[in-house]
Amino acid sequence: MPSHADSAVGMMDGAYFTSRKDILDFFNELLELNLTKIEQTASGAVACQLTEYIFPGSIPLKKVKWDAKNDYEYIQNYKLLQVAFTKHRVQRHVDVDRLIRGKYQDNLEFCQWLKAFFEQAGGAGRDDYDPVASRSAGKGGKKATDHFAKTAKNHNSKLLPTDRQQRQNLSSKSRPNAPTRKTVEPKGKKPLGQRIKSNRQVGDTKKDAAELMEKNSSLETRNEELELTLTAIEKERDFYFEKLRDIEVMLQDHEENAETSNAEDLIQNVFKVLYATSEDQLVLDGEGDILDDGIEPPYEEPEPPYEEPEPPYEEP
């Protein structure tokens, strides 16, 4: 497939008007799943299997985690997806930080793009493809449908516009017409004492409301600051956990291929992972090798060569 093959799927493309039902039916029929909520695709496992369907062998499905529950497990699935995209020159930015939060709109847009990319790439020619057997090699792949059935209630998808209108119509039909009340106008004015007391109460109410609004504004500002702090802490936690996970993958690969693996290369790669920053975008492939990182290992000054001391001078 030529590079930039997905460039035609722009934000105003018809793909981004595909309904939630059409997307779920597409995934369920093609991959024999039982998805009922868009948020169930947030782990990246469905995207991995669809990409492997389009590009056979591009993703080792045995490393895909279908029963992922934590952010770092989601991230590992998306790393496999990004490696496949890089390998096949798919120019699509995957905003992992937004997708793993499981928000409906973010995952809906990504699923709409996946469906359009599948149709554009022409990946519908694998007649002998067995989706259940393919994902069974991954962790939790054999029981993926059971996992989705159990987790469906954990998500609260927003109603589609058509669903929302239908529910409003049903609600208005089932609700009896409320009886109209007649307003009775007062015949005369209140006594002066009652009017003064009422005005004072109104003034006190306005003062209390102003104080409450000021306090509410202060609390909202504080809440926003705490949310920003929490987001920064979570990103830092995930950043360092990714480092540990990458090193673990490299060590596992070294252990499995001890006869052919080079210990010095392993040490250099570990240093690269340790000293990589968030801007370096260091990516490991499925075998634990670093893909085009451009990161230099820490400089170590070589030790000077050993020189044997000269013997002491003795007079003849």
Side-chain angles (χ1 to χ4, degrees):
M1 187 192 72
S3 61
H4 310 288
D6 61 325
S7 59
V9 187
M11 286 303 298
M12 294 306 295
D13 191 276
Y16 289 99
F17 297 94
T18 306
S19 69
R20 174 182 61 184
K21 181 179 183 304
D22 290 342
I23 293 173
L24 293 176
D25 289 345
F26 164 70
F27 285 138
N28 291 336
E29 292 175 8
L30 181 67
L31 304 180
E32 296 185 17
L33 295 169
N34 59 337
L35 298 170
T36 56
K37 301 288 181 69
I38 289 293
E39 297 93 322
Q40 290 175 303
T41 66
S43 69
V46 175
C48 283
Q49 186 171 7
L50 181 65
T51 302
E52 199 280 335
Y53 184 99
I54 299 173
F55 305 113
S58 60
I59 293 180
L61 294 180
K62 65 180 181 180
K63 296 188 177 183
V64 176
K65 297 181 179 180
W66 288 89
D67 56 356
K69 298 178 181 178
N70 301 305
D71 288 355
Y72 65 86
E73 294 176 308
Y74 289 8
I75 291 172
Q76 191 60 31
N77 286 341
Y78 282 108
K79 280 192 172 185
L80 298 173
L81 182 67
Q82 289 174 324
V83 169
F85 280 6
T86 301
K87 181 179 180 181
H88 293 278
R89 297 180 292 174
V90 178
Q91 304 300 318
R92 165 72 186 192
H93 171 67
V94 181
D95 196 339
V96 178
D97 290 337
R98 294 172 67 90
L99 293 175
I100 63 176
R101 294 182 182 276
K103 299 296 184 182
Y104 170 79
Q105 189 61 36
D106 296 328
N107 285 276
L108 175 65
E109 292 177 0
F110 185 57
C111 288
Q112 288 170 332
W113 178 87
L114 282 173
K115 182 176 183 297
F117 181 60
F118 170 84
E119 295 169 349
Q120 183 184 14
R126 300 181 65 178
D127 297 333
D128 57 343
Y129 184 74
D130 186 345
V132 178
S134 297
R135 65 172 169 267
S136 294
K139 185 179 178 182
K142 292 182 180 179
K143 298 182 179 180
T145 53
D146 295 339
H147 174 72
F148 288 137
K150 293 178 181 178
T151 58
K153 60 183 179 181
N154 298 335
H155 306 288
N156 296 316
S157 296
K158 295 181 180 179
L159 288 174
L160 294 176
T162 53
D163 297 335
R164 194 180 300 116
Q165 186 63 41
Q166 290 175 0
R167 178 158 303 185
Q168 290 175 351
N169 293 340
L170 290 174
S171 176
S172 61
K173 289 180 181 179
S174 60
R175 190 188 305 118
N177 294 329
T180 57
R181 296 182 179 180
K182 296 182 179 179
T183 57
V184 180
E185 298 291 338
K187 294 182 179 180
K189 293 184 178 180
K190 292 182 180 180
L192 179 60
Q194 291 184 8
R195 280 186 283 164
I196 294 175
K197 183 178 179 181
S198 176
N199 291 337
R200 287 177 179 174
Q201 290 177 345
V202 171
D204 293 341
T205 301
K206 289 183 178 179
K207 182 179 179 182
D208 293 341
E211 291 177 354
L212 288 174
M213 290 180 65
E214 183 178 357
K215 185 176 181 179
N216 182 61
S217 177
S218 176
L219 290 175
E220 287 181 348
T221 302
R222 179 59 178 162
N223 184 54
E224 291 176 358
E225 293 175 353
L226 291 175
E227 286 182 352
L228 291 174
T229 303
L230 178 61
T231 301
I233 292 174
E234 288 178 346
K235 290 186 69 174
E236 186 173 0
R237 177 203 64 190
D238 294 340
F239 175 71
Y240 286 106
F241 187 89
E242 285 184 52
K243 286 181 178 286
L244 293 176
R245 177 56 184 159
D246 290 341
I247 293 173
E248 179 186 11
V249 171
M250 289 191 292
L251 292 176
Q252 288 175 347
D253 183 71
H254 177 73
E255 184 179 14
E256 294 174 358
N257 305 282
E259 297 180 358
T260 59
S261 181
N262 189 310
E264 293 184 0
D265 292 342
L266 173 65
I267 294 173
Q268 293 299 318
N269 286 339
V270 169
F271 273 123
K272 289 179 180 179
V273 172
L274 289 176
Y275 288 92
T277 64
S278 58
E279 289 79 13
D280 292 326
Q281 296 183 350
L282 185 144
V283 178
L284 269 66
D285 63 10
E287 303 301 328
D289 296 325
I290 297 177
L291 297 177
D292 190 21
D293 54 88
I295 303 171
E296 295 293 337
Y299 174 75
E300 296 182 2
E301 186 174 351
E303 297 182 0
Y306 175 75
E307 295 183 2
E308 197 169 321
E310 296 183 1
Y313 176 76
E314 294 181 1
E315 292 185 2

